[in-house]
Short mmCIF file of all heavy atoms in Angstrom, two decimals:
data_model
loop_
_atom_site.label_atom_id
_atom_site.label_comp_id
_atom_site.label_asym_id
_atom_site.label_seq_id
_atom_site.Cartn_x
_atom_site.Cartn_y
_atom_site.Cartn_z
N GLU B 7 11.08 -12.35 -12.18
CA GLU B 7 11.54 -13.58 -11.75
C GLU B 7 10.50 -14.65 -11.36
O GLU B 7 10.54 -15.78 -11.80
CB GLU B 7 12.34 -13.33 -10.47
CG GLU B 7 13.17 -14.61 -9.93
CD GLU B 7 14.02 -14.20 -8.76
OE1 GLU B 7 13.95 -13.12 -8.21
OE2 GLU B 7 14.83 -15.04 -8.28
N VAL B 8 9.48 -14.07 -10.75
CA VAL B 8 8.22 -15.01 -10.40
C VAL B 8 7.65 -15.45 -11.71
O VAL B 8 7.21 -16.59 -11.83
CB VAL B 8 7.17 -14.13 -9.56
CG1 VAL B 8 5.90 -14.94 -9.41
CG2 VAL B 8 7.85 -13.92 -8.25
N LEU B 9 7.45 -14.65 -12.73
CA LEU B 9 6.81 -15.02 -14.05
C LEU B 9 7.59 -16.16 -14.67
O LEU B 9 7.13 -17.02 -15.17
CB LEU B 9 6.90 -13.70 -14.96
CG LEU B 9 6.36 -14.07 -16.36
CD1 LEU B 9 4.93 -14.64 -16.39
CD2 LEU B 9 6.29 -12.72 -17.14
N ALA B 10 8.92 -16.01 -14.61
CA ALA B 10 9.86 -17.09 -15.23
C ALA B 10 9.59 -18.45 -14.46
O ALA B 10 9.52 -19.45 -15.09
CB ALA B 10 11.21 -16.69 -15.09
N LEU B 11 9.39 -18.40 -13.10
CA LEU B 11 9.21 -19.58 -12.45
C LEU B 11 7.75 -20.15 -12.62
O LEU B 11 7.63 -21.33 -12.67
CB LEU B 11 9.42 -19.27 -10.87
CG LEU B 11 10.78 -18.95 -10.60
CD1 LEU B 11 10.88 -18.51 -9.04
CD2 LEU B 11 11.84 -20.06 -10.72
N ILE B 12 6.87 -19.27 -12.82
CA ILE B 12 5.47 -19.74 -13.27
C ILE B 12 5.57 -20.46 -14.53
O ILE B 12 5.09 -21.63 -14.65
CB ILE B 12 4.47 -18.66 -13.43
CG1 ILE B 12 4.13 -17.86 -12.04
CG2 ILE B 12 3.20 -18.95 -14.07
CD1 ILE B 12 3.35 -16.72 -12.10
N ALA B 13 6.24 -20.02 -15.48
CA ALA B 13 6.28 -20.65 -16.79
C ALA B 13 7.12 -22.03 -16.73
O ALA B 13 6.95 -22.86 -17.61
CB ALA B 13 7.13 -19.70 -17.71
N GLN B 14 8.03 -22.15 -15.66
CA GLN B 14 8.63 -23.39 -15.53
C GLN B 14 7.68 -24.47 -14.74
O GLN B 14 8.24 -25.54 -14.48
CB GLN B 14 9.89 -23.25 -14.72
CG GLN B 14 10.99 -22.35 -15.61
CD GLN B 14 12.11 -21.98 -14.65
OE1 GLN B 14 12.76 -22.85 -14.15
NE2 GLN B 14 12.55 -20.84 -14.72
N GLY B 15 6.47 -24.14 -14.48
CA GLY B 15 5.48 -25.09 -13.91
C GLY B 15 5.59 -25.09 -12.33
O GLY B 15 4.96 -25.99 -11.78
N LEU B 16 6.19 -24.10 -11.69
CA LEU B 16 6.25 -24.14 -10.22
C LEU B 16 4.95 -23.55 -9.62
O LEU B 16 4.43 -22.62 -10.15
CB LEU B 16 7.48 -23.42 -9.69
CG LEU B 16 8.81 -24.08 -9.60
CD1 LEU B 16 9.30 -24.48 -10.96
CD2 LEU B 16 9.77 -23.07 -8.84
N SER B 17 4.57 -24.26 -8.55
CA SER B 17 3.29 -23.70 -7.83
C SER B 17 3.79 -22.48 -6.95
O SER B 17 4.93 -22.39 -6.74
CB SER B 17 2.79 -24.84 -6.98
OG SER B 17 3.74 -25.15 -5.98
N ASN B 18 2.71 -21.83 -6.31
CA ASN B 18 3.03 -20.82 -5.56
C ASN B 18 3.91 -21.13 -4.39
O ASN B 18 4.87 -20.51 -4.01
CB ASN B 18 1.75 -20.14 -4.92
CG ASN B 18 1.08 -19.32 -6.10
OD1 ASN B 18 1.69 -19.08 -7.10
ND2 ASN B 18 -0.12 -18.89 -5.75
N GLY B 19 3.65 -22.36 -3.71
CA GLY B 19 4.46 -22.78 -2.65
C GLY B 19 5.93 -23.18 -3.00
O GLY B 19 6.76 -22.73 -2.28
N GLU B 20 6.01 -23.65 -4.32
CA GLU B 20 7.31 -23.96 -4.70
C GLU B 20 8.15 -22.75 -4.96
O GLU B 20 9.33 -22.52 -4.77
CB GLU B 20 7.35 -24.92 -5.96
CG GLU B 20 6.87 -26.29 -5.60
CD GLU B 20 6.53 -27.21 -6.92
OE1 GLU B 20 6.14 -26.44 -7.98
OE2 GLU B 20 6.56 -28.39 -6.79
N ILE B 21 7.48 -21.73 -5.56
CA ILE B 21 8.16 -20.46 -5.86
C ILE B 21 8.39 -19.79 -4.54
O ILE B 21 9.61 -19.29 -4.44
CB ILE B 21 7.29 -19.55 -6.63
CG1 ILE B 21 6.93 -20.11 -7.95
CG2 ILE B 21 7.79 -18.06 -6.84
CD1 ILE B 21 5.85 -19.42 -8.86
N ALA B 22 7.67 -19.77 -3.55
CA ALA B 22 7.92 -19.12 -2.19
C ALA B 22 9.16 -19.89 -1.60
O ALA B 22 10.08 -19.18 -1.14
CB ALA B 22 6.75 -19.39 -1.30
N GLU B 23 9.31 -21.22 -1.72
CA GLU B 23 10.40 -21.95 -1.10
C GLU B 23 11.73 -21.52 -1.98
O GLU B 23 12.74 -21.35 -1.38
CB GLU B 23 10.21 -23.50 -1.33
CG GLU B 23 11.31 -24.28 -0.65
CD GLU B 23 10.96 -25.76 -0.74
OE1 GLU B 23 9.78 -26.12 -1.11
OE2 GLU B 23 11.88 -26.59 -0.46
N ARG B 24 11.56 -21.46 -3.30
CA ARG B 24 12.76 -21.11 -4.06
C ARG B 24 13.26 -19.70 -3.72
O ARG B 24 14.52 -19.42 -3.64
CB ARG B 24 12.46 -21.16 -5.55
CG ARG B 24 13.36 -20.79 -6.52
CD ARG B 24 14.47 -21.87 -6.70
NE ARG B 24 13.94 -23.03 -7.30
CZ ARG B 24 13.83 -23.14 -8.67
NH1 ARG B 24 14.21 -22.28 -9.62
NH2 ARG B 24 13.24 -24.39 -9.06
N LEU B 25 12.26 -18.68 -3.60
CA LEU B 25 12.73 -17.31 -3.26
C LEU B 25 12.77 -16.96 -1.79
O LEU B 25 13.16 -15.78 -1.50
CB LEU B 25 11.59 -16.35 -4.10
CG LEU B 25 11.50 -16.52 -5.53
CD1 LEU B 25 10.39 -15.59 -6.00
CD2 LEU B 25 12.85 -16.33 -6.24
N VAL B 26 12.56 -17.96 -1.00
CA VAL B 26 12.54 -17.77 0.47
C VAL B 26 11.65 -16.55 0.86
O VAL B 26 12.17 -15.56 1.53
CB VAL B 26 13.95 -17.49 0.96
CG1 VAL B 26 14.10 -17.77 2.48
CG2 VAL B 26 14.98 -18.54 0.25
N VAL B 27 10.51 -16.59 0.54
CA VAL B 27 9.51 -15.67 0.85
C VAL B 27 8.18 -16.40 1.27
O VAL B 27 8.03 -17.63 1.07
CB VAL B 27 9.19 -14.63 -0.31
CG1 VAL B 27 10.29 -13.86 -0.69
CG2 VAL B 27 8.66 -15.41 -1.42
N ALA B 28 7.19 -15.68 1.86
CA ALA B 28 6.01 -16.31 2.33
C ALA B 28 5.15 -16.54 0.98
O ALA B 28 5.17 -15.79 -0.09
CB ALA B 28 5.07 -15.33 3.13
N GLU B 29 4.23 -17.55 1.10
CA GLU B 29 3.48 -17.99 -0.17
C GLU B 29 2.49 -16.82 -0.39
O GLU B 29 2.21 -16.66 -1.59
CB GLU B 29 2.70 -19.32 0.22
CG GLU B 29 1.98 -19.86 -1.03
CD GLU B 29 1.41 -21.20 -0.82
OE1 GLU B 29 1.81 -21.92 0.12
OE2 GLU B 29 0.64 -21.62 -1.58
N GLN B 30 1.99 -16.20 0.48
CA GLN B 30 1.04 -15.03 0.26
C GLN B 30 1.66 -14.00 -0.49
O GLN B 30 1.02 -13.35 -1.35
CB GLN B 30 0.60 -14.53 1.70
CG GLN B 30 -0.57 -13.41 1.45
CD GLN B 30 -1.73 -13.88 0.68
OE1 GLN B 30 -2.29 -14.89 0.92
NE2 GLN B 30 -2.28 -13.11 -0.36
N THR B 31 3.03 -13.70 -0.27
CA THR B 31 3.76 -12.82 -1.01
C THR B 31 3.86 -13.13 -2.49
O THR B 31 3.57 -12.30 -3.37
CB THR B 31 5.21 -12.66 -0.50
OG1 THR B 31 5.22 -12.32 0.94
CG2 THR B 31 5.99 -11.63 -1.25
N VAL B 32 3.99 -14.47 -2.74
CA VAL B 32 4.02 -14.89 -4.12
C VAL B 32 2.71 -14.79 -4.75
O VAL B 32 2.53 -14.27 -5.94
CB VAL B 32 4.36 -16.42 -4.23
CG1 VAL B 32 4.22 -16.95 -5.63
CG2 VAL B 32 5.84 -16.66 -3.65
N LYS B 33 1.60 -15.03 -4.09
CA LYS B 33 0.24 -14.81 -4.55
C LYS B 33 0.06 -13.39 -5.01
O LYS B 33 -0.55 -13.06 -5.98
CB LYS B 33 -0.80 -15.17 -3.64
CG LYS B 33 -0.91 -16.68 -3.37
CD LYS B 33 -1.95 -17.03 -2.34
CE LYS B 33 -2.05 -18.50 -2.04
NZ LYS B 33 -3.08 -18.86 -1.03
N SER B 34 0.55 -12.44 -4.18
CA SER B 34 0.39 -10.97 -4.53
C SER B 34 1.30 -10.60 -5.75
O SER B 34 0.74 -9.92 -6.56
CB SER B 34 0.98 -10.20 -3.27
OG SER B 34 0.15 -10.45 -2.13
N HIS B 35 2.41 -11.22 -5.89
CA HIS B 35 3.25 -11.13 -7.11
C HIS B 35 2.57 -11.49 -8.40
O HIS B 35 2.47 -10.86 -9.37
CB HIS B 35 4.56 -11.72 -7.04
CG HIS B 35 5.58 -11.05 -6.11
ND1 HIS B 35 5.75 -9.71 -6.07
CD2 HIS B 35 6.34 -11.51 -5.14
CE1 HIS B 35 6.79 -9.29 -5.24
NE2 HIS B 35 7.13 -10.45 -4.58
N VAL B 36 1.82 -12.75 -8.25
CA VAL B 36 1.17 -13.33 -9.31
C VAL B 36 0.10 -12.41 -9.75
O VAL B 36 -0.09 -12.15 -10.92
CB VAL B 36 0.68 -14.76 -9.01
CG1 VAL B 36 -0.23 -15.29 -10.06
CG2 VAL B 36 1.88 -15.73 -8.76
N GLY B 37 -0.75 -12.00 -8.76
CA GLY B 37 -1.80 -11.23 -9.08
C GLY B 37 -1.49 -9.88 -9.73
O GLY B 37 -1.96 -9.44 -10.77
N ARG B 38 -0.32 -9.24 -9.34
CA ARG B 38 0.13 -8.00 -10.03
C ARG B 38 0.63 -8.31 -11.40
O ARG B 38 0.48 -7.45 -12.35
CB ARG B 38 1.17 -7.28 -9.20
CG ARG B 38 0.65 -6.68 -7.94
CD ARG B 38 1.72 -5.76 -7.21
NE ARG B 38 2.84 -6.43 -6.72
CZ ARG B 38 2.88 -6.86 -5.48
NH1 ARG B 38 1.89 -6.75 -4.60
NH2 ARG B 38 3.98 -7.54 -5.09
N ILE B 39 1.24 -9.40 -11.67
CA ILE B 39 1.90 -9.77 -12.87
C ILE B 39 0.67 -9.86 -13.90
O ILE B 39 0.76 -9.40 -15.11
CB ILE B 39 2.58 -11.16 -12.83
CG1 ILE B 39 3.89 -10.97 -12.13
CG2 ILE B 39 2.87 -11.64 -14.26
CD1 ILE B 39 4.61 -12.22 -11.69
N LEU B 40 -0.41 -10.55 -13.52
CA LEU B 40 -1.52 -10.81 -14.42
C LEU B 40 -2.17 -9.51 -14.74
O LEU B 40 -2.57 -9.14 -15.89
CB LEU B 40 -2.61 -11.71 -13.79
CG LEU B 40 -2.12 -13.13 -13.49
CD1 LEU B 40 -3.19 -14.08 -12.94
CD2 LEU B 40 -1.65 -13.74 -14.82
N VAL B 41 -2.28 -8.62 -13.75
CA VAL B 41 -2.95 -7.23 -14.00
C VAL B 41 -2.05 -6.39 -14.85
O VAL B 41 -2.60 -5.81 -15.92
CB VAL B 41 -3.20 -6.58 -12.69
CG1 VAL B 41 -3.59 -5.13 -12.88
CG2 VAL B 41 -4.28 -7.21 -11.86
N LYS B 42 -0.74 -6.39 -14.62
CA LYS B 42 0.09 -5.49 -15.36
C LYS B 42 0.20 -5.98 -16.76
O LYS B 42 0.25 -5.11 -17.76
CB LYS B 42 1.48 -5.45 -14.83
CG LYS B 42 1.56 -4.66 -13.54
CD LYS B 42 3.10 -4.70 -12.94
CE LYS B 42 3.12 -3.79 -11.79
NZ LYS B 42 4.63 -3.75 -11.34
N LEU B 43 -0.01 -7.22 -17.04
CA LEU B 43 0.30 -7.75 -18.45
C LEU B 43 -1.02 -8.00 -19.21
O LEU B 43 -1.02 -8.31 -20.36
CB LEU B 43 1.13 -9.08 -18.37
CG LEU B 43 2.55 -8.93 -17.97
CD1 LEU B 43 3.22 -10.22 -17.90
CD2 LEU B 43 3.43 -7.91 -18.75
N GLY B 44 -2.11 -7.75 -18.34
CA GLY B 44 -3.51 -7.99 -18.99
C GLY B 44 -3.65 -9.36 -19.37
O GLY B 44 -4.37 -9.75 -20.27
#
């Protein structure tokens, strides 16, 4: 879900607001996405 929002051009803050989570949580998701997908 976070990957799809990244591709739509949303910033970490905007993703956090959309998903109702902390921005730091989004940053963690983004980091794991990049690592998992290389």
Side-chain angles (χ1 to χ4, degrees):
E7 188 176 10
V8 170
L9 175 58
L11 294 174
I12 290 173
Q14 292 173 51
L16 274 66
S17 66
N18 285 350
E20 291 168 335
I21 293 173
E23 185 176 346
R24 177 78 63 88
L25 300 180
V26 195
V27 297
E29 186 169 347
Q30 185 58 46
T31 299
V32 175
K33 290 181 180 178
S34 297
H35 285 314
V36 172
R38 286 196 294 270
I39 289 167
L40 297 181
V41 170
K42 287 183 178 182
L43 298 178

